[in-house]
Amino acid sequence: MEVSGRKGHIVCEPCAEDGDDITADGCCKECEENMCSKCFQHHRKGKHCRNHVFLYAEYSGSPSALKIKPVGLIDKCPKHVEEKINFYCEAHEIVGCGECIIHEHKTCEVLYISDVTRGQNENEYIEEVVKEIENCSNEIKEYEKEIHRNIDKMKATHVKFTCDAERFKQEILEKIDKLIFDACKQASFIITDTLSALGKLKVEVSHITDELSSMKTKADIEKNEPTGNFVTALWLRKRLKEIEEDLIEIGKRTIGTKYRFVKNENIEQELETCKGLDLFRRSQDAEQDNNGIRNLRMVTLEKASGVLGFRIDGGIDGQPLFVGEIIPGTPAANSNKILIGDKIISINNVDVTSQLEAAALIKQCEKTILVLCRPEDDELDKYGIRNPRTVILETASGVIGLSIKRGDDKQSLFVSKIIPGTPAANSNKILLGDKIISINNIDVTKSFHHEAVPLIKKCEKTILVLCRPEDYNAKK
């Protein structure tokens, strides 16, 4: 609140409500209200304001707001606004006014701040705190990086888990399908044999029916003859007895093999009582999945002009699929997350083993999710490092397009930036975070930044030997 005629004057708001023009000494942190020291003392007597903090201010030349003093310039106690901060408790590393020290640190050894700082440069204390703040900030940045890495790992782990679960389901269904197929095949054999037997029986019955009809016709003819009826009757009766005996056997054969489908009680009971398939395991190795594949990476690419920009090779005679080529300027190249030679584990949550299958999965979606890993190579190079890569870069307009930085371990250099459109980016063989093993055949694993940069600048062609951080750590 500004009072007319007094430039930059900020009044105590409670006093102004009473019509008094009193300059504010600061503001209540919680209420955000400008007050003089006296009003703040009354303000803190209220039950709900008892723990409010008073922030002292210095005149800023601007009437719009109070300028809060930096921490280093605060010299009055926030609890006892009239008291200056003069004392220091070494045991608790706390400063305060006389009131604070008497009530809260009466058993401690208390020193005057003036005695503690006498003959010393007080800036050293601030510089020390600044260093601690910087160290803490760097530590937080590392935690942030680790969080991002773990997010990517967890996403890749989940993708792999769902793929494995789906594959296991398919295996179970395939086994059940085979069992059902075998049972149906057995039933088919039974029905085929039964129908064949009943068909033959039907023919026999048809023949007997024809013979009986013939016998009846003969008997009708003979009964009108004056002689020979006795002989014919005996012959017909004898044959009729034989037919009756045949019919008894036929009656036994008319019943086919009966069968019905019976559920497997063990499987049914297992499914009814099963509360889970016990398929979930928490891995002790966050970098290794349950198929022994290390360092999975999940990369999401969106098509540009209908393409992703990489070629898939392999998939023949049991060979895995891998990235055979990366086209500069495409989503695959611009991601800086894909290298030539990367094994392709899955595409859009589907495990792939053939180029046709992979191409179909990529074609049907605008966004493609790849799960990749570097090829496994247990042979160590001369530096004791797995999977070293040699990259040859020629300068363009005097630059190769990457920045290098000393690692937190203070013992290695790594790629900290790749500039799009430069030889480093267009090579598609360099990733952010790559450890630099050598430059132009000179070992830089223990070199400083200022020692490595000239090795790059003095040559038109630069030969880099790189590896991923996890491969570098493998030698330790």
Side-chain angles (χ1 to χ4, degrees), residues 3 20 45 59 89 111 158-159 177 287 368 413 416:
V3 177
D20 296 327
K45 289 180 180 180
Y59 173 61
C89 175
L111 305 172
H158 182 68
V159 168
D177 285 345
E287 294 187 357
T368 298
L413 298 168
S416 60

Side-chain angles (χ1 to χ4, degrees), residues 7 20 35 74 109 135 143 155 172 181 205-206 209 211 217 273 313 323 326 337 353 383 407 425 435 462-463 473:
K7 184 179 178 182
D20 296 327
M35 298 182 186
I74 292 175
E109 183 179 352
N135 291 337
Y143 281 129
K155 287 180 179 178
I172 293 175
F181 175 80
V205 170
S206 179
T209 301
E211 187 177 357
T217 302
T273 58
D313 290 340
V323 177
I326 301 174
K337 294 181 180 179
T353 55
Y383 301 102
K435 296 277 186 180
T462 300
I463 302 172
N473 293 331

